[in-house]
Amino acid sequence: MKMKVYLTTGASVLALAAVAAVGTGASAHQIYYPYRPGAVHTAPTAELRHIGAYEKPYVAPKKSKTGTWADLSGALPFANGPWNPKQMTDGTILVLDYCTASGQWYKLTPDKKGQYSDGTWSKIATMPSGYSPLFFASQVLPDTGNFIVNGGEYNAPTGSCDGDWTNKGALYNYTANTWSTVTAPSGWASIGDAESIVLPDGSYMLADCCDEANAIATISGTTVTWTTTGTGKADDDDEEGWTNLPEAQGGDVFDVDTWKLNATGDNYELYNPTKGTWTSQGYTPDILTETSTRELGPAPLTPAYGSEGTIVQFSANTTKGVNDIYDVASNKFTSGPVMTDNGTVYDVADGPAATEPNGKILVDASPGTFDYPSHFWEWTINKKGKISIAMTSDNKTSSSTSSFEGNLMVIPTGQIIWDNSQTTPNEVALYTPVGKAKKAWLPVVSSVSATLKAGSTGNAISGTNFNGFDMGGSYGDDAQESTNWPLVRITNTKSGDVCFGRSYDFSTMGVWTTGTTSAEFDLPKKGCDTGASTLQVIVNGIASAGTSVTISK
């Protein structure tokens, strides 16, 4: 751990917590900022800074053809606030109640029509004692559908968040509803606000927030062992984010550096999963890192343009705000648009983005590092590569929320779920985009049994486009919201009621794959209506055409 890179004279663990009291609604509470290790907040008691005039939530004109927001119905269960939604492979969504002493997650189950707006919240088991993180690495595991969490910039072992960049970890067994402790890779004193990714072969790869170290997990039951990887990394992993590239690119991992910059741009690198090595590719045309905090924005991939897609690397640069565009096939960057509102530059110094089923990118941006209000923009890339951006309507609380407080994740309905974590009152809202996926992006089911039994396990299914053309949601080092794997949804012909299988054992986790891929799924003993039904595979909110099946007792 190279703390000499980060430590500021006189820094202490208490100072590193970087919390501030802020009133953003019904009551004041502490705000926990996503800082690099060793950074000291210059004014620990200051409120979040509001930029510009106080205005009502923005309403987009109808001619903009952007989507609409709607809150989930009913009361939210969170004591502190919702953070890091995770789409599980049975259609449910797990959301953390951040900095609770017990490390409490809640499960959102869709209603019988498969809608999340009227879904039901329930508690799951609490995390191992002493582990309740905020800003951490996490992924759904493709072989089992279980869920792993590592690190945390903050940890709340007694209900008070401390900025300790913990190396703790935990593995959640979904079917058993139990957590087990995960030991850090050998020699890792910290994991902290680390990035993670699932490689095409299904391996879980993790970064150390505070060094160049990377490791790949081997998981057997509750035992997790680690193998070192990632030689040749050009800089420390801190504040960076990873994006899967298409199969044609060998399933490489894309990364823009926050610690290796020249006079005009950021170095960017590719990780080769076969060789286990990083190789620098050059520099972005613009400086994207906010150099005082070393923050950077998300890097979502979209299939909307280019033979192998396009990545928008969102900028955290509070002065220029230029967002750079990466053409995957040519391995080349160009400068892109700047997001502005009333002449103010909006950036994404930590914040979420998501690729909509229609190929547009939705992003949450703020007018300066950790400032507010935040607004949402939709980025559209047409078939000729021309980019247009449009500010969408606000939801209820984005005007009092900074972008770093939110997450964006694609859900099976094709909507995007957003949360505001540390804003009071809490909000969980759904964004419904306009438009639909291109036919070529749809999953296609080529093989599945025509008769499926309720409670059956190990049902085989295969087809094409089962892992989509992008990762779905994107944030970076503090959260990961990938959904690039197949969900199985079944709709009863007579009742119209919906149930989900629980899918796992995905033959690949690569994006933009060719050829037939496969998975298995289990059906619940209760909840699937018997009789004639329609089965669909959904990936990144995009549903296949229906396949006729019969559900038996």
Side-chain angles (χ1 to χ4, degrees):
M1 177 176 174
K2 295 185 176 179
M3 290 305 293
K4 66 182 181 181
V5 175
Y6 306 104
L7 284 178
T8 303
T9 302
S12 68
V13 171
L14 291 177
L16 300 182
V19 299
V22 59
T24 56
S27 61
H29 62 284
Q30 288 182 321
I31 292 289
Y32 298 90
Y33 297 98
Y35 274 96
R36 71 182 192 273
V40 179
H41 197 299
T42 56
T45 59
E47 295 185 355
L48 288 177
R49 185 177 62 165
H50 184 278
I51 303 297
Y54 285 87
E55 299 176 342
K56 293 180 179 180
Y58 175 74
V59 178
K62 291 183 179 180
K63 65 180 180 180
S64 69
K65 296 183 180 180
T66 55
T68 56
W69 289 98
D71 281 358
L72 270 64
S73 64
L76 298 177
F78 307 101
N80 291 338
W83 176 254
N84 196 19
K86 304 299 292 187
Q87 179 72 67
M88 305 306 289
T89 67
D90 67 344
T92 61
I93 297 170
L94 300 186
V95 184
L96 175 67
D97 192 356
Y98 81 89
C99 286
T100 49
S102 57
Q104 183 62 62
W105 293 74
Y106 288 89
K107 178 167 66 175
L108 176 63
T109 302
D111 68 14
K112 64 181 182 179
K113 301 300 181 184
Q115 297 300 312
Y116 293 80
S117 55
D118 296 315
T120 303
W121 293 99
S122 58
K123 282 185 177 182
I124 68 167
T126 56
M127 300 183 78
S129 178
Y131 188 37
S132 180
L134 174 63
F135 307 140
F136 47 83
S138 61
Q139 294 287 349
V140 174
L141 300 173
D143 57 341
T144 59
N146 291 335
F147 173 42
I148 193 167
V149 178
N150 291 101
E153 183 169 334
Y154 297 91
N155 189 30
T158 61
S160 176
C161 262
D162 299 319
D164 63 357
W165 288 272
T166 182
N167 69 353
K168 293 180 181 292
L171 178 66
Y172 181 62
N173 184 312
Y174 189 87
T175 54
N177 189 28
T178 57
W179 290 91
S180 55
T181 296
V182 174
T183 302
S186 178
W188 287 28
S190 62
I191 296 174
D193 52 332
E195 54 267 39
S196 69
I197 204 161
V198 177
L199 299 172
D201 68 356
S203 299
Y204 170 66
M205 179 174 164
L206 176 68
D208 179 341
C209 72
C210 313
D211 211 325
E212 302 93 348
N214 305 156
I216 292 177
T218 300
I219 304 172
S220 177
T222 60
T223 301
V224 181
T225 56
W226 300 94
T227 303
T228 299
T229 189
T231 58
K233 186 73 171 65
D235 70 341
D236 286 1
D237 298 311
D238 189 43
E239 305 302 334
E240 297 174 3
W242 293 342
T243 303
N244 288 109
L245 295 186
E247 181 185 73
Q249 293 292 323
D252 285 0
V253 177
F254 170 89
D255 173 66
V256 171
D257 294 338
T258 59
W259 293 93
K260 185 178 180 181
L261 284 65
N262 65 13
T264 58
D266 300 42
N267 185 67
Y268 70 100
E269 309 182 66
L270 296 179
Y271 171 80
N272 184 310
T274 302
K275 297 179 179 179
T277 57
W278 289 97
T279 305
S280 292
Q281 304 296 307
Y283 286 85
T284 62
D286 301 281
I287 292 180
L288 304 171
T289 296
E290 206 291 303
T291 53
S292 64
T293 60
R294 294 291 165 174
E295 300 294 352
L296 184 65
L301 170 69
T302 174
Y305 173 74
S307 61
E308 294 167 20
T310 302
I311 290 174
V312 178
Q313 175 60 72
F314 286 101
S315 175
N317 189 317
T318 57
T319 303
K320 293 181 64 178
V322 178
N323 303 281
D324 284 354
I325 313 301
Y326 177 71
D327 179 76
V328 176
S330 65
N331 189 23
K332 292 182 179 179
F333 265 104
T334 55
S335 296
V338 179
M339 293 178 286
T340 61
D341 179 43
N342 293 322
T344 299
V345 171
Y346 274 64
D347 65 88
V348 196
D350 272 340
T355 305
E356 300 172 4
N358 57 28
K360 297 178 182 180
I361 292 173
L362 180 68
V363 64
D364 185 358
S366 294
T369 306
F370 312 145
D371 295 332
Y372 73 104
S374 66
H375 294 304
F376 300 90
W377 276 263
E378 271 188 339
W379 286 57
T380 302
I381 308 178
N382 70 16
K383 61 183 180 181
K384 295 183 179 180
K386 182 180 180 181
I387 297 173
S388 59
I389 61 175
M391 198 160 80
T392 77
S393 295
D394 291 337
N395 50 45
K396 290 182 179 178
T397 62
S398 57
S399 60
S400 55
T401 302
S402 184
S403 63
F404 80 88
E405 298 175 276
N407 303 109
L408 290 169
M409 186 185 74
V410 187
I411 64 174
T413 56
Q415 297 167 300
I416 315 293
I417 194 169
W418 177 85
D419 60 53
N420 65 0
S421 72
Q422 300 187 59
T423 301
T424 302
N426 291 155
E427 183 179 14
V428 179
L430 298 178
Y431 182 78
T432 303
V434 174
K436 60 183 180 180
K438 293 182 179 180
K439 185 177 180 180
W441 301 344
L442 270 60
V444 177
V445 177
S446 59
S447 177
V448 68
S449 176
T451 301
L452 299 165
K453 185 177 180 180
S456 60
T457 60
N459 297 293
I461 189 167
S462 60
T464 54
N465 296 349
F466 271 23
N467 293 87
F469 293 80
D470 56 77
M471 296 172 64
S474 177
Y475 191 105
D477 61 331
D478 297 322
Q480 294 90 49
E481 275 96 31
S482 303
T483 54
N484 58 307
W485 29 260
L487 289 164
V488 176
R489 182 175 67 189
I490 299 172
T491 306
N492 185 267
T493 303
K494 184 176 180 180
S495 68
D497 289 351
V498 167
C499 72
F500 286 88
R502 183 173 181 273
S503 56
Y504 55 93
D505 198 20
F506 311 134
S507 62
T508 183
M509 283 294 289
V511 300
W512 212 310
T513 58
T514 57
T516 299
T517 59
S518 62
E520 296 183 12
F521 65 97
D522 301 341
L523 288 183
K525 292 181 179 179
K526 297 181 180 180
C528 288
D529 291 354
T530 58
S533 302
T534 299
L535 179 148
Q536 293 172 289
V537 161
I538 305 172
V539 56
N540 294 333
I542 302 175
S544 69
T547 298
S548 295
V549 296
T550 299
I551 307 300
S552 64
K553 291 184 179 180

